[in-house]
Amino acid sequence: RCSPATRSSPQLSSIASLVGTGLGVYGQVRQAQQQRASGRAQEENLRQQQAAQQAQADAQAQARQRERQDSLARTIASARARLGAGGVAPDEGSAAALTAGLRRDAAQDMAEDAAAAAARRAAGRRSLLAPDGSLNAFLRAGQSLGGAVRNLLD
C-alpha cells in the first residue's frame, strides 16, 4: 500500500504542471497584447508622420502656386507695359491673345502639378516630397525655359 505522502506527490506534480502551463499561457497572452499595443502605437506614429509630410507638401504646393500667380501677374504687367509703350492697345488683338496664352500656360502648369500630386497619393507613396523618378522635372524645366525665351522675344 501507498502511504498518504506518496499519493499526494503525483497530485502535487500535476497541479504544479498545470500552474506552470497556465503561467506560460498567461505570459504568451500578455506578450501578444503588448505586441498589438506596440504595433498600434507604431501605426499611429506613421499616420502622424504622413500627416505632417502631407501638410508640408500642401504648404509647399500653395507657396508654388502663389509664386506662379505672382510671376504670371508680373509677366502680364510687363508685356502690357511694353505693348502700351509701343502704341498697341494691351486689351485688344494680339496683345489680348498673348495675355490669354500666358494665363492658359500657367493654368496648365498648375493642373499638371495637381495631377502629379494626386498620382503620387494614389500610388501610395510615403512622401509626396520624394522625387518620382520620371522625366517630369526635365520637361517642366524645358517648359520654363521655353516660357522665358518667349518672354524675351516679345
Side-chain angles (χ1 to χ4, degrees):
R1 273 180 137 190
C2 293
S3 69
T6 310
R7 273 187 262 146
S8 66
S9 177
Q11 289 176 347
L12 285 179
S13 66
S14 60
I15 289 174
S17 175
L18 287 174
V19 168
T21 302
L23 288 175
V25 168
Y26 174 77
Q28 290 175 349
V29 168
R30 279 299 289 159
Q31 184 179 10
Q33 289 172 342
Q34 289 172 346
Q35 286 175 347
R36 278 194 302 272
S38 175
R40 279 185 290 235
Q42 287 176 349
E43 287 175 7
E44 181 60 28
N45 285 339
L46 180 60
R47 273 193 289 276
Q48 289 175 356
Q49 286 175 353
Q50 288 173 339
Q53 288 173 345
Q54 181 62 45
Q56 183 180 8
D58 289 345
Q60 287 177 343
Q62 289 173 353
R64 280 192 308 269
Q65 185 174 359
R66 278 191 307 274
E67 183 180 316
R68 189 176 282 132
Q69 288 171 346
D70 290 346
S71 176
L72 175 64
R74 285 191 304 273
T75 302
I76 289 174
S78 175
R80 290 171 58 97
R82 280 183 275 148
L83 292 168
V88 176
D91 294 328
E92 298 175 1
S94 61
L98 173 67
T99 302
L102 291 172
R103 285 192 173 119
R104 186 176 47 250
D105 288 348
Q108 182 180 358
D109 288 345
M110 284 188 257
E112 288 172 358
D113 282 351
R120 287 183 190 129
R121 283 188 201 113
R125 294 200 25 213
R126 189 159 179 221
S127 172
L128 297 176
L129 304 176
D132 60 359
S134 71
L135 297 176
N136 284 342
F138 294 108
L139 294 175
R140 284 196 191 108
Q143 289 173 347
S144 297
L145 178 62
V149 169
R150 185 175 59 228
N151 286 337
L152 289 175
L153 294 175
D154 287 344

